[in-house]
Structure formats: structure tokens, C-alpha cells
Amino acid sequence: MRAALAPGIRLLRALPRDSRYRGLTLVLTFLSYTSYHLSRKPISIVKSQLHPNCSALGPNPHNDSNSTTWCSWAPFDGDNYKELFGALDNAFLVAYAIGMFISGIFGERLPLRYYLSGGMVLSGLFTALFGLGYFWNIHVLWYFIVVQVCNGLVQTTGWPAVVACVGNWFGKGKRGLIMGIWNSHTSVGNILGSLIAGAWVSSAWGLSFIVPGIIITIVGIICFFFLVEYPEDVDCNPPLHHTAADEDPGGVTTSEKDPEAVISNEGPLSLSGQSSVDHSNSPKEPAEEPEAISFLGALRIPGVVEFSLCLLFAKLVSYTFLYWLPLYIVNVAHFGAKEAGDLSTLFDVGGILGGIFAGLVSDYTGGRATTCCMMLVVAAPMLFLYNHVGQNGIGTSIAMLIICGALVNGPYALITTAVSADLGTHESLKGNAKALSTVTAIIDGTGSVGAALGPLLAGLISPTGWNNVFYMLIAADVLACLLLARVVVKEARGWCGSMARQRGSSVQLTESVMDGK
């Protein structure tokens, strides 16, 4: 007797064809960027093994070696090991920031599937090369610096490509919420990277890099075979990025019909009422491929400059916490290194919640800039409170970390996902979707400058006291908020105009009813 179809297959068959491909795109891009962050994390885990406390490991087996550094990995066995670790971090971050500005330009001119999968394979190669330094017994700094620079450059292929793919498949109606949930790949990748790297860090730290390098390579190959860049490539319907009601006289997007509700491959497809079957079987008329937008052309899109500069300061705060929070907890709360590392992950948990909250609120209100600005305004005093009362107890510390993580990473997540996709499909482009990757690269590239500056400034300021570090972070938060002031005012004017039109329509309707009586 033949068994019934598996429940999962029945579920897939029940879903509309467009929904199946949208789900596939979300899953593949989520796994892709999870593997990117997974391959970036090992360096922070392995640092403790490159310069451990050798005196705690017993007597020195080599009589001619320094008793306190005999187990360290040269060239990180000297007193300047912190500076060398900083050089490794900055080599990656600076290369990533510079490469991001040109990455989007290449992404618009190359097939996204080739660009993303090729970048993932190269990222896997350079991640593994760092780990092979252990097995090849390499002890020269320039080797590790060069590998970090190359890895930083090729990792810039990831973000513009995955945001462009998701933006091609999802219209603006649900974009904030969907991308808020989807953006949790950053934290998931960090957690998985920590666990995988930690499995081999004490026995053979080279595997802490090689295994993540293999994983990102495998995911890249999967993307090459299964990723679909555009809905039109598989005869699906493109989402509505703009409707006639979207743009008010003030130039602010206020409302949009849900594209998934308006357009479905299982129901009405167009204003003419054609069915999806009729559309998929009808011959496609050849359309001229739009030209990719230039770098300066992308900068002229309204909002790109403001959101880019805002992200610079927002990412400065976020990455300072990423690199310095465990050390701050050790120094101020006097936790052990493992406990401080575990506690610091709560900041990422808050970031996931903040990204979802920001996306949901911005979808409901239609105000991306206003949502970011309000969260940044609240974040500044919360950072001040965390520094002064956040270490008064474990419960207070947990609550403050989650709240600060949500308020700091919420705007950061919203700008790098939904805002980038909105601006890359802005009405001023007149339907040319070739700007999405370039706009994403400009915004995230500017933010990456802040990501490199934040940890650097924290390292320079921290010897003067942690209070000064937090004052720097609060100032950056305030600047990020002020840079969005013009866009916030424009959104407010749009809301006022929309409310005035609604009141006018209500008055006219009332008068017509009275005249009829």
C-alpha cells in the first residue's frame, strides 16, 4: 500500500508558488550571512590561545624559553601582544570598510548568484588559510595580516548581495518585520562561530578556522545551485515597491498596500484580471536591461547620505560593545572571563529583539527614520544608566544588557536591512532595481568606518576610565539621532498632510450626506 504524502510536502504544495520561492530565498540568504559571521568569530575565541597564561600550565619544557610565554604562539608571545591583536582586528575592519564602497558597484554589474557564491568560497579559503598557519608552523605577523586583509575584502561580497536578493523578492509592505527577523542571522552566526571555534581552540586552534572555512564554502556552493535572484527568473510576480498612494506631496512614504496580498501567483495577477497560468504561459516580451547606477547617482537618492552617516555612529556604538563588553564586565563587575563572555551574549539577544521591534513599528507607522531616532534618543540615557547602575546585581545587569542591546542594535539592524532595501528601490529610480546593491554597499560601508573607529577609540580612551568610554558612546548616539533630523521632519510633514487630507475627505463626505438630506 502506498503511503500518503509526507506532511512537509503537503504543506509545500498548499503554499502559493511565489511563497515557496520567497521562503527559499529567505532561508538561503539567512544561511549565507550566518556563515559569513560564523567565519568571522574564531579570531576573538583563538586570541586567548595565542597568548595564554603559560605559568598555569606547569613547568617550562624548554630551558631556553621565557617561562611565562613558552606556550604562546609567536609572534604573539611578546609584551606587545595586545597591539598585535589590535592590528589583526583593524586589518580586517579597515579592509572591510574600504572594500564595501566598491563591492556594491561590482554587485550591480555581476550576477548576484555568482558574486555571492564566489565571495563565500573565497572567504572560506582565506579563513582556512589563517588556521593553516597553525599546521604550517607559521610565526610571521605579515602572513596573518595579509590573510585578514584579503578576508576583509572578500567578505564585503556578502551584505550587498543578500540584501539585494531579499529586496528583489519582498515589497515594502512587510519588509521591516521580515528583515527584522531575518537579520538575526548576525547573532546566530556569532553564537555558532563561538561554539565551533571553542571545540578545537585548546587542542588544535587551526581547526577553529578551517572548519568554519569549510562550512561557508559548502553554503556558498549550495547558493550557487539554488539561489534565485529575481522573481521574473522563475515566472513569479515581482513585489510592488511603490504605489500611487505611496508618495505624498511632502515626498514621504506613508502607506502601501501589501504586495503579497495584492499580487499572488494563485489568484488575480494584474489589473486586467489575467490568471497566473495565463501569465506564465504567455511569451515574455524582451525588455531592455536597465543600466547600473553610478556611485554618485546612488548618493543623490534622497536619504542615502543621512542614513549612511547615522549608521556610522550607530555601528560605532554597536561594535564597541562587541569588542569591549566582555572586558568591561570583567573589570567593573569582577566576573570571570567565561561568565563575562556568557553575559555579554545578552546584548546580542537584545539586538535580535530590537531589530524585530524596529521593523514592526516602522512597518506600522511608515516612518523608518522616526523609529530609528526615537530608539536612539532612549538609548543615550540607558547607556548612562547601565554604566552607573548596571552592575549592582546580576538581575539588573541582565535587564540592562538586553534593553541596551535592543536600543543600540535596533536602529542599526533597521538601517542595514529595510532602509537599504527601501532606498535601493526608491521611486526616483523609476523602476530601476539595479541600484539596490550599490546603495546597500554605500550605507554599510559608511557604517563599517564607524565599526573600525569604535573599538579603536575605546582602546585609546579606556585607560582614562570607563566613564569616558561611555560618554563617547552616548555622544555618538546623539550624533546619529541628529543626522536623521531632516528625514524625521519630512516624515512628520507627510503624516500631517495625510491627516489633513483625511479630515478634508471626511468633511466633504459629511457635507454631501447633509446635502442629500
Side-chain angles (χ1 to χ4, degrees):
M1 183 176 65
R2 180 176 296 181
L5 279 175
I9 300 300
R10 290 203 301 270
L11 176 62
L12 288 176
R13 292 182 64 181
L15 291 173
R17 189 168 182 269
D18 286 17
S19 297
R20 292 199 296 268
Y21 278 104
R22 287 193 186 100
L24 176 64
T25 301
L26 276 182
V27 170
L28 287 179
T29 52
F30 183 93
L31 292 176
S32 296
Y33 215 68
T34 296
S35 64
Y36 270 103
H37 268 266
L38 183 149
S39 66
R40 296 176 192 175
K41 190 64 178 178
I43 184 64
S44 64
I45 305 299
V46 172
K47 283 178 183 177
S48 61
Q49 190 64 24
L50 296 177
H51 191 94
N53 182 9
C54 300
S55 59
L57 301 179
N60 182 1
H62 307 288
N63 295 329
D64 58 345
S65 298
N66 190 314
S67 60
T68 60
T69 61
W70 63 267
C71 63
S72 299
W73 188 270
F76 308 104
D77 55 348
D79 293 336
N80 64 337
Y81 70 97
K82 289 184 179 180
E83 287 80 1
L84 298 184
F85 288 156
L88 290 180
D89 292 337
N90 282 310
F92 178 91
L93 291 171
V94 172
Y96 185 88
I98 295 173
M100 185 59 73
F101 287 106
I102 60 175
S103 175
I105 297 174
F106 285 110
E108 299 290 5
R109 290 158 176 79
L110 297 173
L112 288 176
R113 181 167 59 91
Y114 295 166
Y115 192 57
L116 179 61
S117 58
M120 295 176 73
V121 171
L122 289 175
S123 296
L125 171 65
F126 288 116
T127 302
L129 282 175
F130 196 105
L132 288 172
Y134 171 83
F135 296 100
W136 293 343
N137 204 30
I138 295 176
H139 296 279
V140 289
L141 180 64
W142 66 263
Y143 172 83
F144 298 105
I145 293 290
V146 169
V147 169
Q148 283 287 85
V149 170
C150 293
N151 201 12
L153 290 173
V154 297
Q155 289 247 342
T156 61
T157 59
W159 192 241
V162 295
V163 172
C165 286
V166 174
N168 290 337
W169 278 92
F170 290 90
K172 191 177 177 184
K174 296 178 181 177
R175 187 179 281 164
L177 176 60
I178 291 171
M179 286 191 160
I181 299 172
W182 172 77
N183 193 59
S184 63
H185 49 47
T186 299
S187 298
V188 173
N190 289 339
I191 294 170
L192 291 177
S194 299
L195 296 175
I196 293 172
W200 290 281
V201 65
S202 300
S203 56
W205 62 259
L207 291 175
S208 297
F209 291 90
I210 293 174
V211 173
I214 293 173
I215 291 174
I216 189 174
T217 300
I218 292 174
V219 176
I221 294 172
I222 293 174
C223 283
F224 177 81
F225 283 105
F226 294 101
L227 184 65
V228 180
E229 301 174 27
Y230 300 98
E232 299 89 337
D233 294 343
V234 286
D235 295 325
C236 289
N237 301 294
L240 288 180
H241 294 295
H242 298 281
T243 64
D246 277 346
E247 197 74 18
D248 60 39
V252 181
T253 300
T254 56
S255 63
E256 182 179 19
K257 294 179 181 179
D258 179 11
E260 281 74 23
V262 176
I263 299 180
S264 172
N265 218 29
E266 302 297 322
L269 178 63
S270 64
L271 296 176
S272 62
Q274 281 185 294
S275 68
S276 58
V277 177
D278 293 339
H279 174 79
S280 60
N281 291 334
S282 61
K284 291 185 177 181
E285 294 183 6
E288 185 178 353
E289 187 75 10
E291 293 184 2
I293 194 170
S294 66
F295 185 88
L296 292 177
L299 286 177
R300 285 193 289 266
I301 297 174
V304 168
V305 173
E306 290 90 340
F307 279 108
S308 297
L309 294 176
C310 174
L311 184 63
L312 187 151
F313 291 102
K315 209 166 181 179
L316 182 152
V317 177
S318 179
Y319 269 66
T320 301
F321 271 94
L322 176 67
Y323 281 91
W324 287 89
L325 182 57
L327 182 61
Y328 170 77
I329 295 174
V330 169
N331 291 346
V332 177
H334 306 294
F335 282 97
K338 183 180 184 304
E339 290 79 7
D342 293 341
L343 197 60
S344 67
T345 60
L346 293 172
F347 189 81
D348 280 329
V349 174
I352 295 175
L353 299 176
I356 296 173
F357 175 78
L360 186 62
V361 171
S362 67
D363 278 346
Y364 179 77
T365 63
R368 308 285 198 209
T370 304
T371 303
C372 291
C373 196
M374 293 304 296
M375 295 184 76
L376 290 169
V377 166
V378 180
M382 293 306 298
L383 291 176
F384 180 84
L385 287 176
Y386 174 67
N387 182 41
H388 285 81
V389 303
Q391 309 303 332
N392 289 347
I394 186 65
T396 304
S397 185
I398 290 173
M400 294 295 292
L401 277 173
I402 293 176
I403 293 172
C404 289
L407 295 173
V408 168
N409 284 341
Y412 160 34
L414 184 64
I415 293 173
T416 54
T417 54
V419 170
S420 297
D422 289 350
L423 295 176
T425 55
H426 194 270
E427 189 183 61
S428 63
L429 298 172
K430 298 179 180 179
N432 182 4
K434 299 287 280 184
L436 190 51
S437 184
T438 299
V439 169
T440 302
I442 290 174
I443 293 175
D444 198 51
T446 307
S448 297
V449 174
L453 285 176
L456 177 63
L457 290 175
L460 296 174
I461 297 173
S462 58
T464 67
W466 286 107
N467 286 342
N468 294 330
V469 174
F470 273 85
Y471 293 149
M472 180 266 291
L473 297 178
I474 292 170
D477 244 334
V478 173
L479 286 172
C481 182
L482 292 176
L483 287 166
L484 287 181
R486 190 180 72 87
V487 186
V488 171
V489 170
K490 186 181 288 187
E491 288 180 350
R493 287 175 178 171
W495 288 328
C496 293
S498 178
M499 292 173 62
R501 288 194 298 271
Q502 290 177 0
R503 285 196 299 267
S505 299
S506 300
V507 171
Q508 290 178 358
L509 180 61
T510 303
E511 290 177 350
S512 63
V513 171
M514 296 299 294
D515 292 342
K517 291 182 178 180

